[in-house]
Amino acid sequence: MYSFPIVLISTVLCALPSYAVEIITRQPFSTKPFSTDGRWMTNADGVNLTYAGVNWPGHGETMVPEGLDKMSVADMVTKVKSTGMNAIRLTWAVQMVDDILDKQSDGQLGTTFVAALGEKNGTEVLNAVLDKNKSFTKETTRLEVFDAIALECARQGIYVHLDNHVSKAGWCCKKDDGNAWFGDEFFDTKKWERALGFMADHGKTWPSFVSMALRNELRPAYGSPNVKVTWDTWYGNMTAGAEAVHKANPDLLIFFSGLYYDTQLRPIFNDGGFRDIDFDPSKLAYKNKIVLEVHDYDLDETNCTNKRAKLTQDSFAALGPISPDVKTVYPLVMSEWGFAQSPDQYSAPFAACLGKFLPEQRVGWMIWVLIGSYYIREGEQGKEEPWGLLDSSGTKWRCPECITEGIMPMIQNTLGVESPVATA
């Protein structure tokens, strides 16, 4: 866890750093493939682009993207689009691919909900999903649901970013859940590499699929005492995963997460953390595809100056400029952050600080999380998500004020464009 041409706003340009004014023209829904140029992600025309998006989880026990019992795929994407967002971080589990390749089963909806929720509740959720999504049937597979979301995102001008969240499907992230680190109980690195290549290849048919993350929130594996966390282990496995993605789909940007729940990136860009390894992207086949990702859930830090300083030291220094402490410059995206959706939280120190800092740095971001409840989470069926942008009905904003007064202005300032529903 835890576009189309639009008129620019002159006041936004004035509020951004000088380098931001230089690169903002418009944020079109863009041509593939994406590449990197220093600290920027660029499209095939060389235009710098930034993500402003939301997480849509599909890595839970059902391995079906959440919330489709409450709203159709088309309506869900429309809801995202209405804010002015341009990206969805769609999460998935290695187990889904293992089922396809090892069991020759892609988990039809008619069986996958019953398997996760039981006969009675699973059938009720299945019927609700089919009622909301008329093109689905009991024979529709989990992967076909991902296909439907990706194609709808393309139709509405939303980028798809795939994130491998876990190996064994379920809630993330605990240090003893078996999904924590390479070689952990459920984290088979060979099957993980295979799954990355499979999903990268499968997504070639998705018109707006432009980037893919290797793994969510790597962390110490307390359940596997013989599995040691080192930067050298990180390097060997992450480069192998990136090679699997690049071989299968060389067009994709590849997101590298760091250590300790994706809060520590510094050894990647200053080359200071690998004992015997030089992390030199110029030697890699995908050297112009690497993007770094960071997460922030430090709600206890109420001093924005301190938060900015820590983020800069641990991750944002990767944006440059080159210095004795920064050997290589990379694009950076905060692929997870969020807060409980209530009127007192969007203006609280955590959200207010990031709401200004990320646009100022021209850093892309995806907020956690879109949906208002889960099919099942940690054994509780229908568990409500207080951080969800949508409420428990799955159709309305949980905190309209948080959207219109907090998140939408942040989207506008991040993308340098006016939202299509700026005061809704």
Side-chain angles (χ1 to χ4, degrees):
M1 178 187 118
Y2 309 142
S3 220
F4 303 94
I6 304 174
V7 179
L8 290 170
I9 311 173
S10 60
T11 54
V12 170
L13 292 175
C14 294
L16 292 170
S18 58
Y19 63 72
V21 176
E22 180 180 310
I23 60 88
I24 294 176
T25 52
R26 295 186 176 192
Q27 290 270 343
F29 184 62
S30 187
T31 51
K32 294 176 14 177
F34 276 19
S35 298
T36 62
D37 181 10
R39 57 149 291 156
W40 302 109
M41 302 190 307
T42 65
N43 70 8
D45 299 322
V47 176
N48 297 332
L49 292 166
T50 307
Y51 286 160
V54 66
N55 281 265
W56 188 348
H59 64 275
E61 286 90 329
T62 67
M63 290 170 273
V64 176
E66 307 282 349
L68 296 179
D69 55 334
K70 308 294 178 64
M71 203 181 332
S72 70
V73 168
D75 288 344
M76 192 82 81
V77 176
T78 298
K79 200 76 171 175
V80 173
K81 183 72 174 179
S82 74
T83 66
M85 288 181 182
N86 68 355
I88 285 174
R89 182 180 185 241
L90 188 59
T91 70
W92 60 282
V94 170
Q95 184 180 342
M96 178 176 71
V97 178
D98 289 346
D99 285 352
I100 296 170
L101 299 181
D102 296 336
K103 300 179 180 179
Q104 289 73 53
S105 170
D106 189 8
Q108 294 181 347
L109 296 184
T111 57
T112 194
F113 283 113
V114 170
L117 307 177
E119 184 71 33
K120 179 178 182 295
N121 292 348
T123 300
E124 288 179 359
V125 171
L126 168 66
N127 290 337
V129 170
L130 299 184
D131 179 63
K132 295 294 189 297
N133 298 270
K134 302 299 185 185
S135 65
F136 294 172
T137 69
K138 291 189 294 185
E139 288 73 37
T140 298
T141 67
R142 294 181 296 221
L143 197 56
E144 287 172 338
V145 176
F146 279 78
D147 292 340
I149 291 172
L151 293 176
E152 185 61 32
C153 283
R155 192 183 73 80
Q156 297 202 39
I158 299 288
Y159 299 117
V160 172
H161 169 78
L162 269 188
D163 169 76
N164 175 234
H165 222 66
V166 292
S167 290
K168 181 180 180 181
W171 180 247
C172 183
C173 300
K174 296 180 179 178
K175 293 179 181 178
D176 60 354
D177 63 6
N179 284 312
W181 186 257
F182 310 103
D184 201 356
E185 180 180 1
F186 305 119
F187 197 162
D188 183 319
T189 56
K190 293 304 180 184
K191 288 188 174 182
W192 167 69
E193 291 172 24
R194 180 182 71 170
L196 290 173
F198 179 92
M199 292 299 289
D201 179 70
H202 181 82
K204 284 180 178 178
T205 61
W206 301 348
S208 64
F209 179 34
V210 293
S211 60
M212 186 169 179
L214 299 176
R215 188 69 172 197
N216 179 68
E217 295 195 353
L218 292 163
R219 55 203 181 275
Y222 283 11
S224 301
N226 294 326
V227 173
K228 304 301 181 184
V229 174
T230 69
W231 276 107
D232 292 2
T233 304
W234 178 95
Y235 177 88
N237 285 286
M238 293 294 273
T239 53
E243 287 165 6
V245 170
H246 189 67
K247 181 179 180 180
N249 190 340
D251 285 351
L252 293 176
L253 294 176
I254 305 172
F255 279 44
F256 280 66
S257 60
L259 263 61
Y260 306 110
Y261 289 88
D262 203 6
T263 61
Q264 179 55 258
L265 297 171
R266 190 165 190 82
I268 303 173
F269 57 79
N270 75 359
D271 294 340
F274 305 106
R275 280 173 287 178
D276 302 312
I277 301 169
D278 177 19
F279 188 56
D280 182 358
S282 68
K283 299 177 182 178
L284 301 173
Y286 46 88
K287 60 186 177 182
N288 64 337
K289 298 291 186 179
I290 300 173
V291 179
L292 304 186
E293 62 174 322
V294 65
H295 294 177
D296 188 10
Y297 289 112
D298 187 7
L299 279 73
D300 293 331
E301 177 56 77
T302 59
N303 185 303
C304 191
T305 299
N306 291 345
K307 175 174 284 295
R308 287 170 177 249
K310 180 169 177 52
L311 285 171
T312 298
Q313 175 181 334
D314 293 343
S315 54
F316 280 66
L319 299 169
I322 295 289
S323 70
D325 293 330
V326 180
K327 305 299 184 184
T328 309
V329 171
Y330 298 93
L332 178 71
V333 172
M334 185 171 282
S335 55
E336 277 192 37
W337 69 286
F339 54 92
Q341 292 291 296
S342 62
D344 63 323
Q345 290 299 307
Y346 81 87
S347 58
F350 174 80
C353 183
L354 289 182
K356 292 181 179 179
F357 183 59
L358 298 181
E360 286 174 2
Q361 299 299 310
R362 292 294 291 165
V363 163
W365 51 269
M366 287 96 148
I367 194 169
W368 188 272
V369 60
L370 175 60
I371 48 89
S373 63
Y374 299 88
Y375 305 127
I376 182 171
R377 172 180 154 182
E378 299 175 293
E380 182 178 341
Q381 298 186 20
K383 184 177 179 66
E384 190 163 355
E385 174 55 90
W387 289 38
L389 302 189
L390 295 171
D391 64 11
S392 58
S393 76
T395 62
K396 300 177 181 178
W397 299 126
R398 181 178 298 273
C399 172
E401 184 179 346
C402 299
I403 300 293
T404 59
E405 303 300 320
I407 294 172
M408 286 174 58
M410 186 178 175
I411 295 167
Q412 296 165 25
N413 291 340
T414 297
L415 301 182
V417 299
E418 186 175 2
S419 170
V421 283
T423 59

